Amino acid sequence: MVRTLDITALTCPMTWVRTKLELERMAPGEALEVRCREGEALENVPRSAAAAGHAVAVQGTTIRIVRA
């Protein structure tokens, strides 16, 4: 199952805070697709997720994170 999270209405740092909270509710190996706006969130969320050890892929304005 793939969870989805829409953070298009949020600004940094809340974009990563909401994403991190959602990831903490998930089991290792589960995937989260995060929709965000271009710009700061699209740069910071994937970088922060990768730094936390998660697998990250970006396609357009969708970030796919697989929880470590």
Side-chain angles (χ1 to χ4, degrees), residues 17-33:
V17 171
R18 286 288 307 278
T19 303
K20 184 177 177 189
L21 289 172
E22 190 66 27
L23 286 167
E24 289 173 355
R25 295 186 193 107
M26 297 168 52
E30 283 189 299
L32 175 65
E33 287 193 350

Side-chain angles (χ1 to χ4, degrees), residues 2-10 12-26 30-38 40-50 54-67:
V2 176
R3 294 184 188 218
T4 58
L5 178 65
D6 186 342
I7 58 170
T8 54
L10 302 175
C12 288
M14 288 308 297
T15 52
W16 172 239
V17 171
R18 286 288 307 278
T19 303
K20 184 177 177 189
L21 289 172
E22 190 66 27
L23 286 167
E24 289 173 355
R25 295 186 193 107
M26 297 168 52
E30 283 189 299
L32 175 65
E33 287 193 350
V34 183
R35 290 185 307 175
C36 66
R37 289 181 293 186
E38 289 193 19
E40 198 174 10
L42 194 55
E43 295 170 16
N44 293 338
V45 171
R47 183 175 54 234
S48 297
H54 306 296
V56 180
V58 178
Q59 184 173 18
T61 56
T62 301
I63 307 160
R64 183 179 174 92
I65 305 169
V66 178
R67 190 183 190 289

